[in-house]
Amino acid sequence: MKTRWYFDNNATTPVRPEVVEAMLPWLLERYGNASSVHSFGREARSALEESREKIATLIGAGRNELFFTGCGTESDNIALMGTLMSAPPGRNTVVTTAIEHSAVLNTARVLEQRGYRAVFVGVDSESMVDLDALRAAVGPDTALVSVMHANNETGVIQPVAEIAGIAHAAGALFHTDAVQSTGKVSIDVEAMGIDMLSMSAHKLNAQKGIGALYIRKGVTVTPITYGGHHEHGVRPGTENVAGAVGFACAVELAVAGMDDERRKLSSLRDRLERGIAASVPNIHFNGRAADRLPGTSNISFPGVDGEALLISMDMEGIAVSTGSACSAGDVEPSHVLTAMGIDPRTATSSLRFSMGWGSSDEGVDHILTVLPGIVERLRSVSAGVDSGK
Ligand code: PLP
C-alpha cells in the first residue's frame, strides 16, 4: 500500500498497541457486567473502578468525581443541560464562546429553544476569549460558564483558571471542554477552579466510544437520560469496561510521555511552519501568537480552495483537514476562523495540520516537498477562474 501520513490527530488518533493489549482480556475472557454480583461482574467492577481512579488522577480529581460517558459530546451535553436544568430559580443563563465545538454550541442553542438564555462571547484575532466581554456577560442570572480549554481548530489554549474565577465571582459554575487538551497539557481541576470537565478517549490514542465527565463533589447535575443506577445515575447504561481500561491505559501512557511528546510535537510543528513560510508565499498562520497545543497548526492559503487543497494533499497520501465544514452540500467557513475576524473566503482556504503520537519528520518532509507545488497550481487555477480565463 502507498505510504500515507496522518496529520489529522485533532479529528481522531490511532489506538496505541498497548491500549489494544490492555483491553483484549476484558473483551475475550473477562466480559462480565460490572453490576453483576458473581465473579465475572466483580472483576469487571474492579477494573472499571481502577480505570476511573487512574483517569481522575490525571486531572487531580477524586475517583468519585469522574463519570464515564459515551463520548466527549455526551459529556458536554450532560454538563450544559444537566446544570441548567438543576440551577436555582433566576439562574437561567449559560455563558459560552463563539468558538466552542458543536457539542457545546448546539447544546446551548437547544437550551435557548427550551426557554433558557445563552450568550456567545467573542474572541480576538488569535482566538483568545475576550475576557472583558465575558466579565460583562456573566451576572446573577448565570448558572454556568462553559469555555473550552484548547480549541480543536487552532489549538489555542484559554486561561481557564482566570475564567473560572470570573464565573465563581458571580456565583456561577464553570465547565471546560478539555477534549483536545487532556493528556497533552497538564490539568489540575483544583488549582484551575474547574467544576466540570469533558474528556474523550479517542483523542488521546484510545478507542472511540468512551468519554468522561468530571463533576466536582457537591455540584448537582440533573441527568439527561434515564435508566439504572450506573455512574450514580449521571449516565445510566451498562458500563463499557474494556473501553474504560483502554482509556485509562492511554491516559497513563500520555502522562508518562507528556514532556517528551510536547517537545517532539512542538519541534515538528515549528519545522513544518518554518518550512511552509519559507516555500509558500502569502500565507497566514492562525492563532500562532497565542499559547497553543504543541501539535496543532492552522494556516490560511488565500487564493486556494481549501477543499481542493485537502483533496490534492490526500492524493499525495497526506491527511489533513480544512477550516470549513460541509453542510447540506455547501461549504461553510469555519465558525472559529470567522469569529477570529478572518473573512469567510480566506477561512475556506485554510488547513489544519494536527500532529500526534505517530507523527514523524518524514511526514513533515513529505508535506514540505509537495505542498508548495500544489498551492501554486491551485492558485493559478483559481486566478484563471476569477479572471474568467
Ligand atoms: N469537543 C471538542 C473540542 C472536540 O474537538 C470534539 C471532537 O472533535 C468533541 C468535543 C466531541 O468529542 P467526541 O468525538 O468524543 O464526541
Side-chain angles (χ1 to χ4, degrees), residues 10-12 70-76 99-104 148-153 177-181 198-203 208-211 352:
N10 287 12
T12 195
C71 56
T73 300
E74 191 178 20
S75 302
D76 287 341
I99 60 160
E100 299 297 312
H101 187 271
S102 51
V104 167
M148 70 199 318
H149 190 201
N151 184 265
N152 42 305
E153 294 191 33
D177 175 338
V179 165
Q180 290 292 347
S181 57
S198 304
M199 311 181 221
S200 178
H202 76 100
K203 306 287 187 182
K208 294 157 190 70
I210 187 161
R352 176 186 71 188

Side-chain angles (χ1 to χ4, degrees), residues 176-218:
T176 189
D177 175 338
V179 165
Q180 290 292 347
S181 57
T182 15
K184 296 179 196 160
V185 294
S186 321
I187 297 176
D188 183 332
V189 288
E190 279 305 320
M192 294 160 105
I194 297 166
D195 298 307
M196 277 165 281
L197 177 144
S198 304
M199 311 181 221
S200 178
H202 76 100
K203 306 287 187 182
L204 63 142
N205 305 107
Q207 71 294 351
K208 294 157 190 70
I210 187 161
L213 177 64
Y214 157 76
I215 306 176
R216 177 186 294 282
K217 191 164 178 261

Side-chain angles (χ1 to χ4, degrees), residues 72-85 94 96 100-118 120 144 146 175 177 198 224:
T73 300
E74 191 178 20
S75 302
D76 287 341
N77 271 260
I78 298 172
L80 267 73
M81 294 227 167
T83 307
L84 270 286
M85 289 193 307
V94 56
T96 184
E100 299 297 312
H101 187 271
S102 51
V104 167
L105 281 183
N106 287 339
T107 306
R109 287 180 190 132
V110 168
L111 282 166
E112 276 185 310
Q113 287 161 13
R114 294 183 185 175
Y116 295 97
R117 209 163 73 84
F120 301 91
L144 181 71
S146 177
H175 163 253
D177 175 338
S198 304
I224 59 169

